[in-house]
Amino acid sequence: MKKSFAQSRSVWMDTTEAALESALTERISADVCVVGAGIAGMTTAYFLAREGKSVVVLDDGPIGGGMTARTTAHLVNALDDRYFELERLHGEEGARLAAESHTAAINAIEAIVKQEAIRCEFERLDGYLFVPPRDSQKILDDELAAVHRAGLTNIEKVERVPWDSYDTGPALRFPRQAQFHPLKYLAGLAKAIKEQGGRVYTQTHATEIEGGKKARIDTKGGGVVNAGAVVVATNTPVNDLIAIHTKQAPYQTYVIGARIPKGSIKRALYWDTPDPYHYIRIETVGRGAAAYDVLIVGGEDHKTGQQDDANKRFSALERWTRRRFPMIEGIEYRWSGEVMEPIDGLAFIGRNPMDAKNVFIATGDSGNGMTHGTIAGILLTDLIMGRKNSWESIYEPSRMTLRALPEFARENLNVAMQYKDLVVAGDVDSVEEIKPGVGAVISRGLNKVAVYRDPKGEIHERSAVCRHLGCIVNWNTLENTWDCPCHGSRYDALGKVIQGPANSDLAEEKSDGEQSTDSKQQSAGTS
Ligand SMILES: Cc1cc2nc3c(=O)[nH]c(=O)nc-3n(C[C@H](O)[C@H](O)[C@H](O)COP(=O)(O)OP(=O)(O)OC[C@H]3O[C@@H](n4cnc5c(N)ncnc54)[C@H](O)[C@@H]3O)c2cc1C
Ligand code: FES
């Protein structure tokens, strides 16, 4: 895969080949250019291609090399942020539309899998929501009442989750949830897009995105796309400087995959209710007599770039899991990824605020990005085709939900606090203190320098100033990346940008410590 997350590999990355296409090197045109080949971009391209639009997809990695490779792929209308909370923020009708759209997204995935004959292990199953030991059941009762008001009347309270090894006490059972293998699904979408005449280019980084009558997307290798509309599906928009990034917050979340005897835990989706919560599913790996189950358990989230203690978090996940599932035979996978948490619980899907009318975004997925990404495909296709869609207002990117103002203030105060790193001392005093394979920020005069010593001992220096809005990046030991604590931009060890909102690499560091002039500002088209 594109990303240099060597020690952090998901079960999906391990069970599929990286899906590479050729890079774009020429000037081409299309009705719609989609930037980003994750679930949001590929689903949008698929629906548009089916409408007869000529579509071009660009991605700077392989297909699905972003967060879609790191998901746990629960396909649910049992939403992270609780329906009683969505009701408080968006009203009863808003919560109803959220339930309707996520249910429709699961149905749409099922229909695509069938229509395109995609072998991606799509499976309908139950989901169970339970509370931690000794916690009050009130949250379950409140949620049950709210989901019924939202139209999900088939949800019921049951005595316990169907585990023999651990009694959770009462739980809510959500029927007709689903799961799949996300990268196999995207491979199927890519095939279908190309069969409809769509073009998919990988290893193609979009550097400038400009809307308007003849929208234009410039790429690093010199290729250019002119399009009637642009969809920026880069997980977090690289074409938006401020509007969206003050309304969503980046969190790093952790996952382990434990080998268990096949069939020893009932196949279903499971979640508990603390913040951060645990999320659990089962994936079968291998075939025939060699097949076994992997119990996938995630949680232990923290704000991106604000902690560097992945081993502690994996250990906590392992302890939690072993206590409940003594049949574990060993831990086979450990990985992490980033989730964009919208302050009011719903994704931002629609026209990019303060931009030309033909530039669209999909972001703010929270832990429901598989369905939010699919909703993006349905909703953005309607908007581009000029059709009305009743979900438009709840996902409108320019909305400001007044009842979410305390969350807005809390997250943005947290961001403001990160700017203190501009003036405090670096992580170490000198380059000599940095061990092979490790990075650290050092102060050099007024500048902060991100210094990485590669395993051979060679030193690589870049400016530690994030290319988005100037926070100081921090080293991530698990993934060998530089992570920005403000809005979640991430760079590889050598400073190459791998996750927005920044869209350009960390600036080169001149030997006198001056940042090179040609790289002082973000090069993405920004609104
Ligand atoms: C550990 C974890 C568990 C999760 N579990 C679930 C779950 O169980 N259920 C669920 O619904 N959601 C879950 N999520 C969330 C979900 O995985 C994501 O929200 C979803 O995959 C995001 O899809 P996307 O298409 O928006 O972004 P991505 O998959 O990240 O795709 C964006 C693409 O844009 C490309 N790109 C970025 N910038 C550029 C550029 N300038 N030029 C060209 N290409 C560019 C990237 O290379 C990338 O391929 C989880 C997330 C994580 C991290
Ligand atoms: S991501 Fe916004 S300043 Fe780094």
Side-chain angles (χ1 to χ4, degrees):
M1 315 244 67
K2 161 185 83 150
K3 322 290 183 189
S4 60
F5 300 143
Q7 307 163 57
S8 168
R9 264 183 91 70
S10 72
V11 61
W12 328 117
M13 293 158 150
D14 222 32
T15 49
T16 40
E17 295 290 319
L20 287 167
E21 304 282 340
S22 57
L24 178 69
T25 50
E26 57 195 345
R27 178 186 283 267
I28 56 172
S29 44
D31 292 331
V32 185
C33 176
V34 177
V35 183
I39 189 154
M42 293 299 279
T43 310
T44 307
Y46 170 78
F47 281 124
L48 284 166
R50 259 186 27 186
E51 296 277 354
K53 291 279 180 196
S54 73
V55 183
V56 166
V57 182
L58 308 177
D59 198 294
D60 57 7
I63 296 167
M67 290 311 120
T68 303
R70 302 180 158 269
T71 186
T72 50
H74 298 213
L75 309 176
V76 301
N77 58 17
L79 301 182
D80 275 16
D81 286 287
R82 303 283 91 85
Y83 279 91
F84 59 79
E85 185 59 10
L86 293 176
E87 209 177 50
R88 184 183 72 79
L89 292 163
H90 301 280
E92 212 170 300
E93 178 62 3
R96 192 192 66 74
L97 289 170
E100 178 187 282
S101 54
H102 284 270
T103 307
I106 308 173
N107 293 342
I109 293 171
E110 185 173 38
I112 292 170
V113 166
K114 204 164 167 200
Q115 171 150 355
E116 306 300 340
I118 303 176
R119 294 174 64 176
C120 61
E121 299 149 31
F122 178 90
E123 182 180 354
R124 287 276 187 178
L125 26 67
D126 287 341
Y128 291 90
L129 179 71
F130 59 95
V131 297
R134 291 177 292 282
D135 267 25
S136 157
Q137 299 286 316
K138 184 175 179 310
I139 189 169
L140 296 184
D141 296 331
D142 290 350
E143 186 65 350
L144 186 62
V147 292
H148 285 170
R149 284 194 296 274
L152 301 175
T153 48
N154 58 355
I155 291 152
E156 58 174 2
K157 196 166 179 186
V158 295
E159 262 176 41
R160 59 182 284 179
V161 158
W163 295 339
D164 294 333
S165 55
Y166 187 88
D167 185 358
T168 56
L172 297 189
R173 185 177 74 89
F174 291 74
R176 292 188 59 73
Q177 309 299 293
Q179 64 177 27
F180 65 0
H181 187 307
L183 296 185
K184 290 182 182 172
Y185 177 66
L186 288 201
L189 284 185
K191 181 167 168 283
I193 291 166
K194 287 187 282 180
E195 281 168 2
Q196 309 267 4
R199 290 160 283 174
V200 182
Y201 297 91
T202 61
Q203 309 147 88
T204 302
H205 181 74
T207 50
E208 302 279 345
I209 298 163
E210 209 179 300
K213 208 157 181 223
K214 204 172 178 196
R216 179 184 164 121
I217 299 91
D218 287 293
T219 72
K220 205 169 187 173
V224 177
V225 185
N226 287 117
V230 193
V231 174
V232 180
T234 51
N235 191 228
T236 185
V238 296
N239 58 328
D240 178 292
L241 194 58
I242 294 173
I244 293 296
H245 306 294
T246 53
K247 297 192 292 187
Q248 64 181 14
Y251 282 81
Q252 205 66 24
T253 181
Y254 295 82
V255 183
I256 57 170
R259 186 174 176 135
I260 52 169
K262 193 156 185 304
S264 58
I265 301 173
K266 184 179 159 62
R267 292 174 86 82
L269 307 176
Y270 306 98
W271 320 274
D272 63 8
T273 53
D275 184 15
Y277 66 98
H278 296 93
Y279 45 99
I280 303 144
R281 67 167 276 190
I282 291 139
E283 169 72 5
T284 301
V285 174
R287 289 204 183 146
Y292 61 94
D293 283 348
V294 175
L295 172 67
I296 298 172
V297 180
E300 293 293 323
D301 313 7
H302 65 77
K303 275 201 94 169
T304 299
Q306 297 190 13
Q307 309 286 333
D308 184 25
D309 54 1
N311 282 337
K312 210 175 97 192
R313 287 168 197 272
F314 285 130
S315 299
L317 274 182
E318 190 175 334
R319 268 197 313 278
W320 186 94
T321 308
R322 284 189 184 278
R323 205 168 292 149
R324 285 155 182 80
F325 307 106
M327 71 289 276
I328 285 174
E329 294 168 345
I331 305 296
E332 301 218 330
Y333 295 94
R334 298 187 339 161
W335 75 88
S336 93
E338 195 176 31
V339 169
M340 295 294 158
E341 290 291 349
I343 55 164
D344 64 5
L346 293 177
F348 300 104
I349 303 167
R351 292 193 168 79
N352 190 33
M354 296 182 280
D355 204 340
K357 290 263 173 285
N358 59 348
V359 180
F360 300 85
I361 56 169
T363 189
D365 288 338
S366 68
N368 301 120
M370 296 291 105
T371 38
H372 268 141
T374 306
I375 291 167
I378 300 168
L379 175 52
L380 295 181
T381 299
D382 278 351
L383 295 182
I384 289 168
M385 297 304 294
R387 293 192 292 252
K388 285 216 169 311
N389 184 306
S390 56
W391 310 333
E392 188 177 345
S393 63
I394 57 165
Y395 294 113
E396 169 58 50
S398 62
R399 72 181 184 268
M400 181 39 114
T401 308
L402 291 179
R403 292 202 164 137
L405 278 178
E407 189 62 11
F408 175 84
R410 194 174 65 80
E411 288 293 3
N412 286 293
L413 180 65
N414 173 284
V415 170
M417 305 264 289
Q418 305 311 313
Y419 283 92
K420 72 175 182 330
D421 292 349
L422 284 164
V423 291
V424 300
D427 304 328
V428 293
D429 293 331
S430 75
V431 170
E432 285 65 43
E433 291 175 55
I434 302 171
K435 296 198 172 78
V438 176
V441 173
I442 63 169
S443 294
R444 195 173 284 150
L446 289 177
N447 291 347
K448 291 284 186 292
V449 188
V451 183
Y452 170 61
R453 187 186 292 277
D454 70 24
K456 290 185 184 148
E458 199 180 322
I459 291 288
H460 305 267
E461 295 191 352
R462 307 294 289 200
S463 162
V465 177
C466 176
R467 300 302 295 279
H468 176 226
L469 289 175
C471 285
I472 300 298
V473 296
N474 287 320
W475 181 247
N476 175 335
T477 304
L478 173 72
E479 308 206 277
N480 283 4
T481 55
W482 297 103
D483 297 353
C484 181
C486 285
H487 313 98
S489 293
R490 304 184 66 203
Y491 306 82
D492 74 10
L494 303 180
K496 184 169 179 285
V497 69
I498 49 177
Q499 172 83 357
N503 198 32
S504 45
D505 302 343
L506 290 176
E508 280 177 27
E509 188 63 18
K510 283 188 172 170
S511 52
D512 61 0
E514 283 291 307
Q515 190 178 315
S516 66
T517 40
D518 66 342
S519 54
K520 268 189 178 142
Q521 37 182 298
Q522 166 82 283
S523 68
T526 49
S527 61

